Amino acid sequence: MLDQTQVERLEAEAVNSAKTRQPLYAARRKIFPKRASGRFRQFKWLVMAITLGIYYLTPWLRWDRGPFAPDQAVLLDLANRRFYFFFIEIWPQEFYYVAGLLMMAGVGLFLITSTVGRAWCGYACPQTVWVDLFLVVERAIEGDRNARIKLEAAPWSARKLFLRVSKHAIWLVIAVATGGAWIFYFADAPKLLGEVVTGTAAPVAYVTIAVLTGTTYVFGGLMREQVCTYMCPWPRIQAAMLDENSLTVTYNDWRGEPRSRHAKKALAAGLPAGDCVDCNACVAVCPMGIDIRDGQQLECITCALCIDACDGVMDKLGRERGLISYATLADYNANMAVATAGGTSSVNPSLVRTTSGAFVDGLAHFHLSKIFRLRTYIYLGAWSTIGLVLVYSLLTRERLELNVLHDRNPQFVTLSDGSIRNGYTVKLLNMIPEPRTIEVMLQGLDGGEMSIVGVDQPPSHSFSVAVEPDRLKVLKVFVRQPANLIKGPAQSFGFHIQDQASSESAKYTASFNAPENGK
């Protein structure tokens, strides 16, 4: 157990200070975050490994769909206008599934933000993940915070040039891998990789890699926190998502103030002293360059690294963790009321601790049940409803569709025997990666017969048509009805199709036109 004076005080100043805002067009002050260790840092490592693994490895996963469809598990096939996701295949007219997923993502983001604040920004946002990855490279080459600050201030030398070139070269390799991984989602990954390496890939592939390489390198390596502060709209939107029961990273000044590096001397002199020893560890580890002790700030992404840093200091001092913690505004206000005697005085540590040093009864502490409130259930209900509707639609959707277009000109033709003929464009859509034999039938037209252009078969009320896997078959169909059976200038009848190997079928109601009064 250490005394306050034995805790290292870091010379760290908040670059983005809530108390002193920098001019909008001021030159950027670089941030050199110190490496943190603790449970939240470990959780960020885990999230980073999972998200990067998903992004880089997903295009290489295989999924057997048979000989007539690609075997890449996740593929956005723009050439054939298909989206494959393991056992799910989405056609262009089914884009509402993608819209539904986007709605779920939006509602899910509202749900997460309203309960645990900017957890998305702090852990899973691509900007956060890639900045973390770039910082790993930077620390491995240039050292931790103090070494990087010293290197930045040092004059150019062979060593400094070597370190900087090495760092930026690895950053560029990561950026190229990021852009390269993206294009593999749009074509067969092994084949496209060979084409890219040999220089035979389409120009758009190289353009895409170049653009994503540039954006990854600039955003993740050079701009970093500026993307979150100036470019991302979410910090400005999130305020509408939060309420007094939302969890946010909070400096609990009700137990930390007044700060003192010499608490024993202050107490001996009869002065109050809080738990904060003003070591600046929370400032040093912050990737956004803020001081969480200034309160809630737009720049804070709630990555919770300041919690890890502060908890480490509290452990050394033998004090309770949680000087900086996830807390709700309601709990914070309740504890501040205790620490300030209902707002009648400044923060007094003696009001929140007993003579033995333990916290007094009546202090508010976080419990998981506090975030499960009406708002949470509304968001969760909306999110679940959208998901269930999508799942039900996927399970019940038809994989065989029929569409019919009546010829506009002429509407009908009178044949030499007096019978009337109408022309139709019939479209058979086979939405599975297997060939089918489809029975096309007429229903509800007395004496009606049809003939199909290109099919060598006498007129009949039914035809068998082969349809290729995952393809649209377009037929030119002529329907004929004897004049004595015509019941009016417009008759309704049906086209009916059925897969001979399954029970799947589809119907379409069409109109058969004839001259008025039989003329």
Side-chain angles (χ1 to χ4, degrees):
M1 191 182 304
L2 302 179
D3 184 72
Q4 286 95 326
T5 56
Q6 296 176 280
V7 175
E8 178 187 8
R9 189 178 193 277
L10 301 173
E11 295 301 322
E13 180 184 357
V15 172
N16 295 312
S17 175
K19 297 179 180 178
T20 307
R21 285 290 177 184
Q22 295 294 319
L24 183 60
Y25 297 103
R28 179 197 179 207
R29 295 170 59 190
K30 288 187 177 180
I31 299 173
F32 302 92
K34 178 180 175 63
R35 179 170 180 174
S37 60
R39 63 186 189 279
F40 290 106
R41 178 64 267 184
Q42 291 174 352
F43 181 65
K44 280 174 66 68
W45 288 133
L46 177 63
V47 173
M48 185 175 77
I50 292 174
T51 51
L52 289 175
I54 290 173
Y55 178 74
Y56 287 118
L57 299 179
T58 296
W60 302 95
L61 298 178
R62 303 291 100 182
W63 189 269
D64 185 13
R65 299 185 182 91
F68 302 101
D71 63 353
Q72 187 163 309
V74 179
L75 177 64
L76 186 58
D77 189 356
L78 295 180
N80 296 303
R81 294 176 292 178
R82 305 283 189 279
F83 172 54
Y84 298 96
F85 185 81
F86 293 93
F87 62 90
I88 300 173
E89 179 184 356
I90 303 297
W91 284 62
Q93 66 270 25
E94 297 177 317
F95 191 79
Y96 51 83
Y97 288 113
V98 178
L101 290 176
L102 293 177
M103 291 174 61
M104 289 186 68
V107 175
L109 191 57
F110 295 160
L111 172 63
I112 293 297
T113 303
S114 68
T115 53
V116 291
R118 292 177 65 182
W120 163 259
C121 300
Y123 299 98
C125 174
Q127 175 67 14
T128 298
V129 171
W130 263 269
V131 167
D132 269 357
L133 180 60
F134 278 36
L135 279 173
V136 169
V137 175
E138 185 171 90
R139 292 192 186 102
I141 295 175
E142 297 182 355
D144 205 359
R145 181 175 185 273
N146 291 339
R148 301 204 306 277
I149 293 175
K150 183 178 179 180
L151 183 66
E152 179 71 17
W156 282 99
S157 62
R159 176 179 178 274
K160 182 174 181 178
L161 180 62
F162 173 76
L163 293 178
R164 288 293 167 86
V165 170
S166 300
K167 177 182 73 174
H168 286 273
I170 297 176
W171 281 0
L172 282 172
V173 170
I174 295 173
V176 171
T178 302
W182 179 253
I183 66 172
F184 295 145
Y185 284 88
F186 296 86
D188 184 68
K191 179 181 179 182
L192 181 56
L193 177 62
E195 293 176 348
V196 169
V197 172
T198 58
T200 58
V204 67
Y206 297 105
V207 172
T208 302
I209 293 175
V211 171
L212 291 180
T213 296
T215 53
T216 304
Y217 173 76
V218 172
F219 291 168
L222 305 182
M223 295 185 66
R224 293 184 179 175
E225 80 286 347
Q226 291 180 300
V227 174
C228 304
T229 303
Y230 301 112
M231 297 176 62
C232 180
W234 192 242
R236 294 153 181 85
I237 298 173
Q238 67 158 346
M241 300 291 104
L242 300 176
D243 59 26
E244 66 276 5
N245 293 308
S246 300
L247 278 177
T248 57
V249 174
T250 305
Y251 167 62
N252 296 307
D253 47 3
W254 53 267
R255 60 168 280 196
E257 299 296 322
R259 307 171 197 174
S260 175
R261 290 278 297 160
H262 305 281
K264 290 184 178 180
K265 293 181 180 179
L267 292 173
L271 299 175
D275 287 349
C276 180
V277 297
D278 204 21
C279 63
N280 288 333
C282 55
V283 181
V285 300
C286 180
M288 298 301 295
I290 68 170
D291 188 341
I292 192 62
R293 296 172 296 180
D294 292 340
Q296 289 298 313
Q297 297 158 67
L298 175 147
E299 294 85 359
C300 181
I301 59 173
T302 67
C303 62
L305 296 181
C306 54
I307 298 179
D308 283 339
C310 188
D311 284 350
V313 174
M314 292 297 105
D315 289 343
K316 292 177 182 178
L317 296 174
R319 298 181 181 175
E320 301 91 342
R321 290 185 169 195
L323 177 57
I324 302 175
S325 66
Y326 272 104
T328 66
L329 180 60
D331 288 348
Y332 171 83
N333 288 337
N335 292 337
M336 279 296 290
V338 174
T340 60
T344 60
S345 67
S346 58
V347 175
N348 186 349
S350 65
L351 296 177
V352 296
R353 291 187 183 273
T354 64
T355 55
S356 63
F359 286 122
V360 300
D361 295 333
L363 289 177
H365 298 284
F366 171 73
H367 190 274
L368 190 62
S369 62
K370 293 184 179 181
I371 66 175
F372 289 97
R373 54 199 188 280
L374 179 60
R375 186 176 187 175
T376 305
Y377 289 120
I378 291 175
Y379 284 139
L380 184 60
W383 185 85
S384 301
T385 299
I386 297 171
L388 290 174
V389 169
L390 290 179
V391 171
Y392 175 78
S393 179
L394 278 171
L395 294 176
T396 59
R397 64 178 178 166
E398 295 291 339
R399 300 287 78 197
L400 180 63
E401 292 189 4
L402 168 67
N403 191 25
V404 179
L405 296 176
H406 194 292
D407 288 353
R408 288 178 174 270
N409 188 21
Q411 290 283 317
F412 58 86
V413 173
T414 303
L415 302 180
S416 58
D417 61 356
S419 60
I420 303 299
R421 187 184 72 186
N422 284 202
Y424 303 87
T425 300
V426 176
K427 298 180 179 180
L428 311 178
L429 184 57
N430 177 18
M431 302 174 69
I432 64 172
E434 298 176 6
R436 293 191 183 192
T437 300
I438 305 300
E439 190 77 16
V440 182
M441 296 169 282
L442 282 182
Q443 291 183 341
L445 187 66
D446 292 342
E449 293 180 331
M450 63 178 173
S451 57
I452 301 177
V453 176
V455 176
D456 187 15
Q457 180 179 331
S460 175
H461 72 281
S462 67
F463 282 80
S464 294
V465 179
V467 183
E468 296 178 351
D470 256 341
R471 287 292 182 268
L472 174 69
K473 182 80 169 184
V474 180
L475 305 174
K476 184 61 181 178
V477 178
F478 292 108
V479 177
R480 168 185 171 277
Q481 186 180 31
N484 62 322
L485 297 178
I486 294 176
K487 299 178 181 178
Q491 303 175 76
S492 294
F493 72 101
F495 282 99
H496 177 77
I497 62 173
Q498 184 169 349
D499 183 0
Q500 293 183 349
S502 71
S503 60
E504 283 191 273
S505 62
K507 295 181 180 181
Y508 189 96
T509 300
S511 177
F512 187 87
N513 297 332
E516 296 205 18
N517 301 322
K519 297 181 181 179

